[in-house]
């Protein structure tokens, strides 16, 4: 089992930056690919970014490419998405996920999920 706890959400203005954190506990953190997803009100959950299980390969949704950067610190069992140039359309609940896969955008391939942290971007 892996427990994931997100933090760092809040209310910001368009153009601001925010860094979320996802702290993992339980089984070996480095053995999992880490992903971030988001769900806006009335919409389906969508992929945001992912960091590979091995190495440093990352993957981003087109909507956040160039604005968001995902990183992980295996010594701290934590993964971070740095979110810059935030837009109102980035408003959503953000979820961290851990998967026993190399790297994937598919939510169904993630085995563990956090409870989410809310990000609201005002215009």
């Amino acid at each position: 089992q892996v427990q994931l706890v997100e933090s760092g959400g809040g209310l910001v203005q368009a153009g601001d930056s925010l860094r979320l954190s996802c702290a993992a506990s339980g089984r070996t953190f480095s053995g999992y690919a880490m992903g971030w997803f988001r769900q806006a009100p009335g919409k389906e959950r969508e992929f945001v970014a992912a960091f590979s299980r091995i190495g440093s390969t990352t993957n981003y949704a087109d909507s956040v490419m160039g604005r968001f950067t995902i990183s992980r610190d295996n010594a701290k069992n934590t993964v971070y998405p740095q979110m810059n140039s935030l837009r109102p359309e980035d408003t959503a609940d953000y979820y961290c996920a851990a998967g026993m896969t190399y790297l994937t955008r598919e939510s169904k391939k993630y085995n563990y999920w956090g409870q989410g942290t809310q990000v609201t971007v005002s215009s």
Side-chain angles (χ1 to χ4, degrees), residues 73-88:
D73 186 335
N74 287 341
K76 296 182 177 180
N77 288 357
T78 304
V79 62
Y80 310 94
Q82 174 68 43
M83 308 187 297
N84 298 329
S85 302
L86 283 162
R87 304 167 180 170

Side-chain angles (χ1 to χ4, degrees), residues 5-118:
V5 179
E6 302 95 335
S7 61
L11 172 63
V12 297
Q13 294 187 330
D16 284 353
S17 296
L18 200 61
R19 190 177 81 156
L20 306 181
S21 297
C22 172
S25 60
R27 303 190 69 177
T28 306
F29 174 74
S30 61
Y32 295 86
M34 299 301 298
W36 281 89
F37 292 77
R38 67 187 182 187
Q39 187 167 16
K43 295 187 177 181
E44 294 186 353
R45 187 174 296 186
E46 65 175 1
F47 170 77
V48 175
F51 201 107
S52 61
R53 178 172 61 89
I54 300 172
S56 302
T57 303
T58 57
N59 195 283
Y60 297 93
D62 290 345
S63 59
V64 307
M65 183 77 73
R67 299 189 297 122
F68 290 15
T69 302
I70 188 172
S71 61
R72 67 188 291 169
D73 186 335
N74 287 341
K76 296 182 177 180
N77 288 357
T78 304
V79 62
Y80 310 94
Q82 174 68 43
M83 308 187 297
N84 298 329
S85 302
L86 283 162
R87 304 167 180 170
E89 53 265 39
D90 293 318
T91 295
D93 291 326
Y94 283 73
Y95 297 88
C96 172
M100 298 180 68
T101 182
Y102 172 66
L103 179 71
T104 183
R105 291 174 168 239
E106 297 180 65
S107 60
K108 65 181 180 181
K109 293 187 177 180
Y110 286 89
N111 307 94
Y112 304 101
W113 292 82
Q115 293 301 306
T117 185
Q118 188 175 58

